[in-house]
Amino acid sequence: MVRAQTSHPLDPLTAAEISVAVATVRAAGATPEVRDGMRFIEVDLVEPEKQVVALADAYFFPPFQPSLLPRTKGGPVIPTKLPPRKARLVVYNKKSNETSTWIVELREVHATTRGGHHRGKVISSTVVPDVQPPMDAVEYAECEAVVKDFPPFREAMKKRGIEDMDLVMVDPWCAGYHSEADAPSRRLAKPLIFCRTESDCPMENGYARPVEGIHVLVDMQNMVVLEFEDRKLVPLPPADPLRNYTSGETQGGVDRSDVKPLQIIQPEGPSFRVNGHFIEWQKWNFRIGFTPREGLVIHSVAYIDGSRGRRPVAHRLSFVEMVVPYGDPNDPHYRKNAFDAGEDGLGKNSHSLKKGCDCLGYIKYFDAHFTNFYGGVETIENCVCLHEEDHGILWKHQDWRTGLAEVRRSRRLTVSFICTVANYEYGFFWHFYQDGKIEAEVKLTGILSLGALQPGETRKYGTTIAPGLYAPVHQHFFVARMDMAVDCKPGEAFNQVVEVNVKVEKPGDNNVHNNAFYAEEKLLKSEMEAMRDCDPLSARHWIVRNTRTVNRTGHLTGYKLVPGSNCLPLAGSEAKFLRRAAFLKHNLWVTPYARDEMHPGGEFPNQNPRVGEGLATWVKQNRSLEEADIVLWYVFGVTHIPRLEDWPVMPVERIGFMLMPHGFFNCSPAVDVPPNQSDLDDKENGLPAKPIQNGLIAKL
């Protein structure tokens, strides 16, 4: 008999599992001093081998899919239980300034642990030399307090007319790596300073008054100011009357009054089905995961294709890193190049959508659990949002001879989360469509990171947005890691990548009318060949194909990556941030799957002195890609030249890319989408479109 399993091997760690993992590691500390110095940066699931996932999906968890496992003579041998789940912990010792990683086997976990009792086993512990792990919110708060209590800092602020420290905002930024002075032998932060005008207004936009000319270096291990210098007295920008964005405090002090309610109803409920973290919708199915670093993770993406059954598309999809380099060479802006995933954690900085959700309709929320700095468990309620959206026309055709028309509306399933890193907000979205497409989208909003100007000063490296206030030019880069599995069962490695460029035919016998163009394909045979950039002039895209599965025309089945708008770093080759972010030098990288290759800039980019660690080093092995378990690393970004219209809060800017079926299906999978019955009834009766009315938001 197969024993019932409570957690799927890919489910995020529960609060109880995190508690057990922390208690196990703390108990394993060699001395009381070691245990007392432990600070817990991350506790994350050790994702099992793909064969274990296949076994779980085949025999232990609905919808039970035995076809995932290869056929064997005499039938499969089914174990009575799955291997125990494991947790991986990143631990920083505040007393020794030492970073270590731990693997803990979670043998037995109950909803609560009594009297310190736990059932975990340490599998391994490794000290990682010459690194600094991500910073924690507790450290940021302590750093702010230390700087505001530092007498020379208070004196410098007094010179600028500020004596009330409650007005002061200290944003600790990781030091990056610019010279040996930033080496990871010390845990460092170089804060940016801002100042509000009203201490009794918690929602005032304090980023409207940057404090420049003050240099502060903080030892984050011992929480002391190492360096302080009041280098230049730059006057605080005057209070901008347009600085605030809260309701009733915007320009003119009056909000619009002509916006009518817009609400969505689904009287029969949603079209998706949820079983734990397993999602089914419109022939798609996948699992939702979540990590402290990446945030949302999409696992085991597959499409149910009629008689062909369950067809895998991808094993794992996530955003693994982002970098925000600024283009102003002046201090302090030249050192603003945040690695928001690797230095802070996208998941750990995510929102509870209880406090404001941009989704409409019938919503399913998922909570997320994390460890805090001291090993306690914190829960972000309603962290991930799952809902359906109307998306306009899916397809339409009207026969001009008969006047008959067919039209279908598009619906998409959206999975998303939003995080705040200092002044910026980032929304990360995965959209699934009825025609087999998957769209990855990032929405950028929040508040600009500003600089102060001397009276009469202007800078060509930014946009003046108010008297004494300017916004430096900068870029935002995101890295999507896509462990593809096009028509591949777990354990199979039958994918390859083809680059497609559209070419203009040369004039001659084959092009007598000079109108000919065609798509030219090139197989990317190895990692060094597969370092590629976008080229909109040739409509460049890339297809991941299965080398052993064909469609009805005899061609290999595939999914293609279609770029959206994109860019490359606008920095010289010797730019300091590119030491740690060599992966930004190309838009596409392709590697064969390797279990430990997860972070394109290495696991610990904070103060990392090593040049090109991570993706740029892995590909030097030049491994074959002709038939492999393919991983795509797509780097996409936007160059932000700030506008006055981006102030005081930046309207959403969207960037992303599309994964589209290319010969994967034998015809359009959207052809069987039924018409919208209410639209047909209205058209038949000559009625106007029905208004959208009465909404329902539900936590299932």
Side-chain angles (χ1 to χ4, degrees):
M1 292 291 293
V2 174
R3 182 179 301 178
Q5 305 289 304
T6 56
S7 293
H8 187 276
L10 292 176
D11 283 352
L13 293 177
T14 65
E17 287 175 319
I18 293 172
S19 294
V20 166
V22 168
T24 302
V25 168
R26 185 174 274 138
T31 65
E33 185 178 25
V34 169
R35 293 191 289 273
D36 186 53
M38 285 181 172
R39 299 293 183 268
F40 295 86
I41 305 298
E42 292 178 6
V43 181
D44 197 10
L45 173 72
V46 176
E47 294 176 13
E49 297 286 353
K50 296 178 181 181
Q51 289 84 350
V52 173
V53 175
L55 181 65
D57 289 338
Y59 296 112
F60 289 83
F61 291 89
F64 303 111
Q65 303 163 77
S67 63
L68 288 171
L69 295 177
R71 295 180 180 178
T72 57
K73 292 182 178 180
V77 177
I78 307 172
T80 57
K81 62 180 180 179
L82 295 170
R85 281 159 57 90
K86 296 177 183 177
R88 185 177 188 271
L89 298 87
V90 176
V91 180
Y92 173 69
N93 194 293
K94 194 170 176 64
K95 294 191 174 182
S96 64
N97 193 36
E98 188 176 80
T99 300
S100 57
T101 59
W102 300 67
I103 304 295
V104 172
E105 183 181 275
L106 303 168
R107 293 177 171 179
E108 184 177 340
V109 178
H110 302 284
T112 59
T113 55
R114 302 181 183 86
H117 172 72
H118 57 85
R119 292 291 301 275
K121 176 185 178 183
V122 174
I123 302 300
S124 67
S125 64
T126 306
V127 173
V128 187
D130 204 26
V131 300
Q132 284 294 339
M135 293 288 186
D136 188 86
V138 169
E139 293 178 287
Y140 286 157
E142 291 177 358
C143 177
E144 181 175 58
V146 164
V147 172
K148 288 163 71 169
D149 285 342
F150 191 60
F153 176 77
R154 299 174 76 97
E155 185 64 29
M157 293 303 297
K158 188 175 181 180
K159 289 181 184 178
R160 291 160 173 80
I162 303 298
E163 296 189 47
D164 183 359
M165 287 296 108
D166 287 340
L167 297 175
V168 177
M169 298 162 44
V170 179
D171 276 14
W173 280 54
C174 293
Y177 188 88
H178 298 272
S179 68
E180 183 60 30
D182 299 322
S185 55
R186 301 182 297 175
R187 188 165 175 79
L188 303 175
K190 295 180 179 179
L192 300 178
I193 314 298
F194 303 89
C195 186
R196 302 200 311 273
T197 58
E198 303 174 53
S199 60
D200 59 349
C201 180
M203 288 299 290
E204 187 197 353
N205 184 358
Y207 290 110
R209 290 213 297 171
V211 180
E212 292 215 5
I214 295 178
H215 166 76
V216 187
L217 180 68
V218 178
D219 177 344
M220 300 292 279
Q221 177 192 359
N222 301 300
M223 282 300 163
V224 295
V225 175
L226 294 175
E227 297 176 9
F228 180 86
E229 186 178 353
D230 192 353
R231 293 175 174 173
K232 182 170 63 173
L233 184 59
V234 180
L236 282 174
D240 181 7
L242 303 180
R243 69 187 181 278
N244 288 333
Y245 51 87
T246 51
S247 180
E249 295 188 22
T250 55
Q251 53 183 341
V254 179
D255 293 339
R256 300 183 190 192
S257 60
D258 58 349
V259 181
K260 304 301 182 184
L262 175 65
Q263 298 177 324
I264 307 298
I265 63 168
Q266 294 180 268
E268 297 181 21
S271 298
F272 58 77
R273 292 184 294 176
V274 179
N275 186 347
H277 289 81
F278 182 69
I279 314 300
E280 296 175 284
W281 177 83
Q282 293 290 290
K283 304 184 182 181
W284 286 108
N285 60 64
F286 55 88
R287 290 189 174 275
I288 288 177
F290 205 87
T291 76
R293 183 166 182 152
E294 303 157 283
L296 176 63
V297 179
I298 307 294
H299 296 285
S300 304
V301 180
Y303 192 94
I304 306 301
D305 186 18
S307 62
R308 301 185 74 169
R310 180 186 186 275
R311 300 182 65 190
V313 174
H315 181 72
R316 191 182 195 276
L317 307 172
S318 70
F319 298 96
V320 288
E321 189 56 274
M322 58 173 292
V323 185
V324 187
Y326 281 70
D328 186 341
N330 296 285
D331 187 45
H333 307 289
Y334 76 91
R335 59 179 173 80
K336 289 159 65 174
N337 42 76
F339 287 62
D340 287 335
E343 291 178 339
D344 290 286
L346 302 178
K348 289 184 73 172
N349 285 283
S350 56
H351 296 181
S352 169
L353 297 176
K354 276 187 169 183
K355 300 178 180 178
C357 182
D358 66 336
C359 308
L360 292 174
Y362 207 101
I363 302 169
K364 163 65 180 174
Y365 291 111
F366 296 85
D367 298 341
H369 307 290
F370 304 101
T371 178
N372 62 28
F373 203 41
Y374 297 104
V377 179
E378 296 185 358
T379 297
I380 300 177
E381 295 184 328
N382 294 14
C383 184
V384 172
C385 172
L386 173 74
H387 74 293
E388 294 176 286
E389 296 179 342
D390 179 88
H391 197 62
I393 294 176
L394 176 62
W395 59 263
K396 181 177 183 177
H397 179 66
Q398 179 169 312
D399 189 314
W400 67 270
R401 291 182 174 85
T402 64
L404 298 176
E406 288 286 340
V407 62
R408 303 291 186 270
R409 290 202 68 79
S410 175
R411 188 180 299 190
R412 69 183 184 184
L413 183 69
T414 294
V415 198
S416 63
F417 80 104
I418 300 175
C419 69
T420 298
V421 186
N423 52 293
Y424 258 106
E425 264 75 21
Y426 302 97
F428 296 90
F429 297 76
W430 291 97
H431 306 292
F432 294 83
Y433 291 85
Q434 292 164 305
D435 61 355
K437 294 197 298 284
I438 303 171
E439 182 182 12
E441 183 181 38
V442 179
K443 299 180 182 179
L444 300 82
T445 182
I447 300 174
L448 296 168
S449 180
L450 305 177
L453 297 172
Q454 297 276 15
E457 181 187 6
T458 60
R459 288 194 187 168
K460 68 178 182 180
Y461 306 108
T463 303
T464 301
I465 61 171
L469 198 61
Y470 87 108
V473 295
H474 57 281
Q475 296 181 288
H476 299 261
F477 290 99
F478 305 87
V479 185
R481 179 185 180 275
M482 294 168 279
D483 182 356
M484 302 300 291
V486 177
D487 272 331
C488 283
K489 296 177 181 178
E492 294 180 345
F494 303 147
N495 282 177
Q496 61 181 203
V497 180
V498 173
E499 179 174 286
V500 180
N501 291 281
V502 175
K503 297 292 183 77
V504 175
E505 186 70 83
K506 295 178 181 179
D509 293 342
N510 292 329
N511 189 18
V512 294
H513 303 292
N514 286 311
N515 69 313
F517 61 92
Y518 60 97
E520 181 179 82
E521 297 185 356
K522 179 185 177 183
L523 176 64
L524 302 180
K525 296 181 179 181
S526 67
E527 290 176 287
M528 298 298 283
E529 260 188 65
M531 297 185 296
R532 308 299 297 161
D533 296 325
C534 295
D535 182 5
L537 296 180
S538 69
R540 179 174 294 167
H541 57 274
W542 299 277
I543 305 174
V544 179
R545 284 187 172 146
N546 187 290
T547 58
R548 305 189 183 193
T549 305
V550 297
N551 53 38
R552 67 172 178 169
T553 65
H555 293 95
L556 299 177
T557 60
Y559 254 77
K560 68 179 180 181
L561 191 166
V562 181
S565 60
N566 209 333
C567 61
L568 288 168
L570 295 171
S573 59
E574 299 302 313
K576 298 296 185 182
F577 76 89
L578 288 176
R579 291 172 54 99
R580 301 187 294 147
F583 53 87
L584 297 184
K585 294 180 180 179
H586 295 287
N587 295 129
L588 180 74
W589 307 71
V590 186
T591 61
Y593 171 77
R595 187 177 171 84
D596 59 345
E597 293 181 1
M598 289 295 298
H599 310 296
E603 183 175 6
F604 300 105
N606 186 14
Q607 296 177 239
N608 185 1
R610 295 166 289 279
V611 179
E613 187 170 44
L615 191 52
T617 297
W618 301 332
V619 299
K620 290 179 181 178
Q621 300 171 75
N622 206 23
R623 292 165 290 190
S624 173
L625 302 173
E626 293 190 62
E627 189 174 62
D629 187 349
I630 292 292
V631 178
L632 301 179
W633 307 77
Y634 183 62
V635 181
F636 60 107
V638 60
T639 300
H640 195 182
I641 311 299
R643 314 166 297 156
L644 269 66
E645 293 83 358
D646 291 329
W647 182 251
V649 65
M650 193 181 83
V652 163
E653 185 163 0
R654 295 170 170 85
I655 57 172
F657 61 92
M658 194 77 76
L659 291 172
M660 301 176 65
H662 189 93
F664 189 79
F665 301 105
N666 285 329
C667 69
S668 169
V671 73
D672 63 352
V673 173
N676 186 319
Q677 188 59 47
S678 62
D679 288 346
L680 292 177
D681 294 342
D682 290 343
K683 183 173 66 174
E684 187 174 301
N685 296 322
L687 297 175
K690 292 179 181 176
I692 299 174
Q693 56 185 330
N694 297 331
L696 172 65
I697 295 180
K699 181 173 181 180
L700 302 184

